[in-house]
Amino acid sequence: MDVSHILDPLNDAQREAVGSPLGAALVLAGAGSGKTRVLVHRIAWLIEVENVSPHSILAVTFTNKAAAEMRGRIETLLGQGVPLWVGTFHGLAHRLLRLHWRDAGLPQAFQILDSEDQMRLLRKVLKSLELDETRWVPREIQWFINAQKDEGHRPKHIKTDDPTRQQMVKIYQAYEEACRRAGVVDFAELLLRAYEIWRDNPGLLEHYRERFRHVLVDEFQDTNAIQYKWLTILASPNGLPFVVGDDDQSIYRWRGARVENLKQYRRDFPKSTLYKLEQNYRSTATILDAANALISHNSGRLGKTLWTAGEAGERIKMYAAFNERDEADFVVNRIRDWVAKGEARRDVAVLYRSNAQSRVFEEAFLNARMPYRVYGGLRFFERAEIKDALAYLRLIASRGDDTSFERVVNYPTRGIGAKTLTLLRDKARASGTSLWLTAEQCVKTELGQKAAEALRNFLLLIERLAAEVQGLELHEQVDHVIQVSGLLDMFKKNRNERGEAQVENLLELVSAARGFTPEGDTEISPLESFLAHAVLESGEGQADPYDDCVQMMTLHSAKGLEFPVVFLTGLEDGLFPHQRSTTELAGLEEERRLCYVGATRAMRQLYISYAEQRRLYGVDTYSQPSRFIAEFPKDLIDEIRPRLRVSRPYHVRPSGTLEESPTPSIRMGCRVRHAKFGDGIVLNFEGNGPQARIQVNFERAGMKWLMLSYANLTVV
DNA sequence: TTATGCGGAATTTTT
DNA sequence: TTCCGCATAA
């Protein structure tokens, strides 16, 4: 058997992992060390060398992009399409639930809620429970519910004496009930149910254990509790899981990811072999040295040091900007120089911690007439007009989908007002059925002439659409629905840019339907398949690779990407690391990993910058350089504009005056003492004269804003 | 039903 | 500053 095409392109460490004997394995793969390559070649190895049937391989990723890339590379390597299951956790869970909807206790045509739909439904639930939304903040409840599901907890499992928590559990329960009535599942529910059907059906579990003996997982450090349970219930006791991850690149703790799963995996599969990929093929030695030094400040690492056979490269350049506009100008000028050398704009990335920072850069790019593209933001299938159209389609597929019902029942307006809807909602909740069924009842009895007429027309419209669409091609169905529902006409009436864009998007939806090929199982209709696709893969928010644009994105969305030139901006304490992450060590360490991820995106040149003064949310804030800057070795950094004034000390006198003064008393970052609150660090201030307010993080009392003139602070 | 204004809050994001 | 949700008015 000639295995050269599998092994030759690999280095020693990669080769060892790829050709490892059948058994559980953990590959710690540093940034830029060929992680995907190892996964892809391992799959090829299993199929071609170990004679494993592709049917018994399950490859799991987190994003659709990663899944698509993996599939593509496998096919290239093997020279043919292979029928193995490759997909995201959610995609695979969805597939299982479609196959076993009865076991899962779901209606056959169940629909999937995206986060926005989930929020809408949750709001309805809160209203029906007559809870005050200022006390029970929907966003927080949503977070609570998802966190519980991510941990694998149903309402009945949550025991608590805390009345607030008890109420949350009640809401969770009511929300679940609302989902059941409507026949919908949210993202977290997909995972939880997929786990539960295995847990509760030994026969089914046995079948899948037999079938998928080879589970390969990418980005293992990003798995949450339920994903881990799902994987391990499948892989125990005889499975051969092959997982790849990097504890230093775990940046999703805040949404339930558990780095500890890497260590837990070692305990749960004690016979697993550990491989480390430390050779980096992306960055210069300078960049790697800096990144290594930075990340070494974290505790409890599994331990890994990136190295390269390549050259040292240029030193890291640091710019201390006067304010955020100065920072943006600096970036623009540097990119100009880069482009003047004949290099491409698309090779440059501007990274920042939070989306709010993008605006200043956009303005600067606009000013400089330099093409740029901002990643993130609304994706195609998340646009309101698209979701409107999809809601009609979803009702056709599943009448019970209350979220969709509410979305379009009076959109375009057809005389079904708040009163009618309130009545419907109350009745539906009382009888435990969907709005659709309730509406069918009410039309006959409960309503006044006019309202009944309007509602009847809506019901007839949907029934009519459902009938007319039968037998049509998918794109014809979509086209028909946007015409007959009146959506298209309604947007056409908006004689402005917005309306034009909406019409264009609806037509684009028709094209998307035309280009859509349902994958795999054909037991659900093309329409249903398309609807699931729209929710689970809300569409690329990606740049057109043919446009030569500077790329702008958050650090989080930069993970997995690489660029010859990277600007790491806004390195200020409070912004990066973000204020809200600095209260506990785990949060701060995650910020540091984020910084590490940012730095390791750079191939040839890394710039870092910060602003001494930044206007954020309409107020000027003055900050200290990020503590991470000091964690990069000094000798790897060139300061571009040696700063004459070290922190441009706007000194704040306790008298309440704000001025530049040579005799500082209170300034950013210094320790102060308050009679009541004790000692703390000055983090921020705003305003002038008697209105001046100062933000202090007290060791005992926490963060406080104080009126400077009353606070009576002394410097410690 | 639709337009306007106020108050409050404001990481990070995929599915 | 900007965005969102809600209440109020037309």
Side-chain angles (χ1 to χ4, degrees):
Chain A
M1 172 85 222
D2 178 23
V3 296
S4 56
H5 66 294
I6 301 181
L7 293 184
D8 283 359
L10 306 176
N11 68 30
D12 289 349
Q14 292 171 339
R15 196 171 298 147
E16 248 190 83
V18 164
S20 70
L22 292 187
L26 168 62
V27 181
L28 274 184
S33 67
K35 170 174 65 85
T36 312
R37 166 168 295 210
V38 164
L39 276 169
V40 167
H41 284 241
R42 173 65 174 180
I43 289 171
W45 176 269
L46 290 175
I47 295 172
E48 298 205 333
V49 182
E50 301 282 0
N51 287 316
V52 166
S53 158
H55 281 284
S56 62
I57 298 176
L58 180 70
V60 195
T61 65
F62 274 87
T63 64
N64 292 299
K65 199 177 152 207
E69 189 188 340
M70 196 183 300
R71 165 157 276 137
R73 283 170 68 167
I74 294 167
E75 286 177 5
T76 309
L77 187 58
L78 296 182
Q80 55 176 342
V82 217
L84 67 163
W85 281 34
V86 183
T88 62
F89 278 100
H90 293 86
L92 296 168
H94 174 242
R95 202 162 164 181
L96 284 172
L97 295 182
R98 287 284 176 210
L99 286 169
H100 307 290
W101 53 274
R102 278 197 193 87
D103 294 308
L106 290 170
Q108 186 171 18
F110 73 87
Q111 299 294 308
I112 307 167
L113 298 183
D114 68 11
S115 313
E116 193 209 334
D117 295 336
Q118 181 187 34
M119 180 64 92
R120 282 167 183 268
L121 183 54
L122 185 57
R123 284 217 150 90
K124 296 276 146 48
V125 170
L126 286 168
K127 270 225 175 79
S128 77
L129 294 175
E130 296 179 327
L131 290 171
D132 177 12
E133 287 201 7
T134 52
R135 169 106 172 71
W136 305 99
V137 187
R139 272 192 50 161
E140 286 169 16
I141 312 272
Q142 183 184 34
W143 185 87
F144 171 82
I145 292 174
N146 289 337
Q148 295 306 320
K149 291 190 179 188
D150 285 347
E151 297 283 318
H153 301 319
R154 293 293 183 190
K156 59 176 182 233
H157 297 134
I158 310 168
K159 299 275 175 280
T160 175
D161 294 327
D162 174 20
T164 306
R165 240 178 119 74
Q166 284 173 343
Q167 180 64 267
M168 300 260 249
V169 174
K170 271 202 192 121
I171 302 170
Y172 178 10
Q173 206 156 16
Y175 166 75
E176 274 202 325
E177 174 55 23
C179 288
R180 190 202 56 77
R181 279 202 305 268
V184 294
V185 297
D186 58 47
F187 287 133
E189 186 73 27
L190 287 172
L191 300 176
L192 183 48
R193 289 244 180 175
Y195 166 70
E196 287 172 344
I197 57 169
W198 279 349
R199 185 197 60 192
D200 301 336
N201 296 276
L204 199 63
L205 176 60
E206 208 39 54
H207 166 78
Y208 281 103
R209 279 181 170 172
E210 273 302 309
R211 167 155 184 197
F212 292 125
R213 294 208 57 215
H214 301 275
V215 188
L216 295 93
V217 190
D218 192 12
E219 306 276 19
F220 195 75
Q221 77 283 350
D222 286 338
T223 50
N224 64 26
I226 195 67
Q227 288 160 340
Y228 186 82
K229 281 177 151 181
W230 186 76
L231 288 170
T232 45
I233 200 176
L234 177 68
S236 312
N238 298 316
L240 308 164
F242 186 97
V243 311
V244 181
D246 180 2
D247 54 330
D248 292 333
Q249 291 189 72
S250 158
I251 54 174
Y252 288 111
R253 189 182 84 101
W254 51 273
R255 65 176 201 216
R258 294 182 171 184
V259 215
E260 312 89 81
N261 285 345
L262 282 165
K263 288 180 178 163
Q264 188 61 41
Y265 178 85
R266 294 286 280 162
R267 285 196 285 275
D268 290 344
F269 298 91
K271 289 192 196 133
S272 61
T273 346
L274 176 70
Y275 301 93
K276 285 189 189 181
L277 307 183
E278 299 176 293
Q279 182 175 3
N280 172 292
Y281 294 93
R282 177 184 297 154
S283 312
T284 63
T286 302
I287 291 167
L288 293 180
D289 289 348
N292 283 332
L294 173 82
I295 201 66
S296 71
H297 287 84
N298 271 7
S299 59
R301 297 174 58 222
L302 293 170
K304 198 166 27 56
T305 306
L306 295 179
W307 61 278
T308 175
E311 54 196 42
E314 289 189 47
R315 291 213 278 184
I316 294 164
K317 303 215 167 26
M318 177 171 82
Y319 183 69
F322 170 64
N323 59 25
E324 78 279 2
R325 308 178 103 192
D326 182 31
E327 182 185 43
D329 287 342
F330 165 75
V331 170
V332 167
N333 287 329
R334 286 289 144 160
I335 299 175
R336 260 209 195 110
D337 294 349
W338 169 262
V339 174
K341 285 191 294 183
E343 302 281 359
R345 279 180 291 263
R346 73 168 76 83
D347 285 346
V348 181
V350 179
L351 308 183
Y352 36 79
R353 175 67 237 265
S354 63
N355 289 116
Q357 288 163 255
S358 73
R359 247 198 52 203
V360 189
F361 288 107
E362 287 193 66
E363 281 166 12
F365 284 130
L366 244 25
N367 248 323
R369 301 182 183 283
M370 187 178 292
Y372 67 90
R373 176 150 278 140
V374 184
Y375 281 63
L378 268 200
R379 272 110 36 102
F380 182 71
F381 287 110
E382 291 169 351
R383 289 162 203 252
E385 60 275 17
I386 297 302
K387 294 196 68 170
D388 296 335
L390 291 175
Y392 278 100
L393 292 164
R394 281 165 66 137
L395 274 180
I396 290 171
S398 168
R399 303 287 194 286
D401 185 338
D402 286 357
T403 311
S404 297
F405 185 98
E406 294 232 21
R407 185 172 188 112
V408 294
V409 65
N410 197 35
Y411 195 77
T413 48
R414 42 177 79 90
I416 302 170
K419 223 171 140 189
T420 314
L421 277 173
T422 311
L423 181 91
L424 280 183
R425 281 190 209 112
D426 289 347
K427 293 211 128 289
R429 192 158 32 88
S431 59
T433 60
S434 64
L435 291 170
W436 178 272
L437 289 176
T438 313
E440 283 185 329
Q441 290 302 313
C442 290
V443 159
K444 293 178 199 145
T445 51
E446 305 286 333
L447 288 164
Q449 277 253 283
K450 226 172 128 194
E453 180 68 17
L455 190 56
R456 191 175 301 120
N457 281 338
F458 175 70
L459 299 179
L460 286 174
L461 171 70
I462 299 296
E463 294 289 10
R464 195 183 121 207
L465 282 171
E468 289 170 348
V469 134
Q470 288 282 334
L472 293 182
E473 290 290 320
L474 181 59
H475 70 272
E476 295 169 334
Q477 299 188 16
V478 177
D479 188 53
H480 189 75
V481 164
I482 61 174
Q483 311 259 5
V484 178
S485 66
L487 273 183
L488 199 59
D489 288 338
M490 185 185 66
F491 291 128
K492 275 184 181 159
K493 276 192 205 126
N494 285 350
R495 292 226 161 265
N496 51 34
E497 272 183 46
R498 172 105 185 86
E500 272 172 41
Q502 289 171 318
V503 171
E504 252 173 53
N505 283 333
L506 284 184
L507 298 178
E508 183 59 35
L509 182 66
V510 179
S511 318
R514 188 180 285 122
F516 176 75
T517 0
E519 227 183 76
D521 328 294
T522 40
E523 50 211 272
I524 61 173
S525 69
L527 174 61
E528 288 172 307
S529 188
F530 182 65
L531 290 171
H533 164 85
V535 190
L536 288 172
E537 308 182 33
S538 28
E540 300 283 19
Q542 304 296 335
D544 184 341
Y546 299 104
D547 288 349
D548 188 22
C549 291
V550 175
Q551 322 221 47
M552 299 170 53
M553 68 195 78
T554 63
L555 285 150
H556 282 91
S557 30
K559 195 172 100 162
L561 306 177
E562 60 180 24
F563 311 91
V565 181
V566 167
F567 289 87
L568 219 51
T569 68
L571 275 126
E572 293 136 49
D573 254 35
L575 190 63
F576 187 29
H578 196 275
Q579 196 74 253
R580 295 168 88 134
S581 305
T582 48
T583 44
E584 35 170 358
L585 184 66
L588 182 66
E589 295 202 333
E590 177 145 308
E591 297 280 311
R592 188 176 283 113
R593 291 193 290 267
L594 197 52
C595 192
Y596 173 80
V597 166
T600 52
R601 297 312 94 194
M603 299 161 78
R604 284 155 59 188
Q605 180 69 66
L606 175 63
Y607 288 92
I608 58 182
S609 61
Y610 65 92
E612 292 165 354
Q613 177 184 341
R614 178 179 296 274
R615 197 181 185 99
L616 207 55
Y617 306 135
V619 272
D620 284 325
T621 54
Y622 301 81
S623 31
Q624 295 291 110
S626 169
R627 61 196 81 183
F628 298 148
I629 291 178
E631 296 174 0
F632 288 121
K634 271 207 174 53
D635 56 326
L636 300 180
I637 295 181
D638 282 336
E639 286 200 41
I640 286 193
R641 188 185 70 179
R643 289 180 308 132
L644 300 173
R645 324 164 299 277
V646 172
S647 67
R648 202 158 190 287
Y650 270 106
H651 299 304
V652 186
R653 285 209 213 126
S655 67
T657 57
L658 172 63
E659 61 190 39
E660 287 194 67
S661 128
T663 52
S665 32
I666 295 181
R667 47 188 278 196
M668 290 316 112
C670 77
R671 286 182 72 81
V672 292
R673 181 162 298 161
H674 184 274
K676 226 191 252 148
F677 300 136
D679 289 3
I681 307 281
V682 179
L683 290 180
N684 209 347
F685 67 78
E686 63 176 43
N688 267 305
Q691 270 83 29
R693 300 196 314 137
I694 185 165
Q695 189 186 34
V696 182
N697 190 10
F698 289 104
E699 276 156 24
R700 278 181 288 113
M703 203 74 77
K704 297 262 187 257
W705 275 102
L706 305 167
M707 292 298 287
L708 198 55
S709 30
Y710 299 112
N712 220 350
L713 297 168
T714 50
V715 179
V716 182

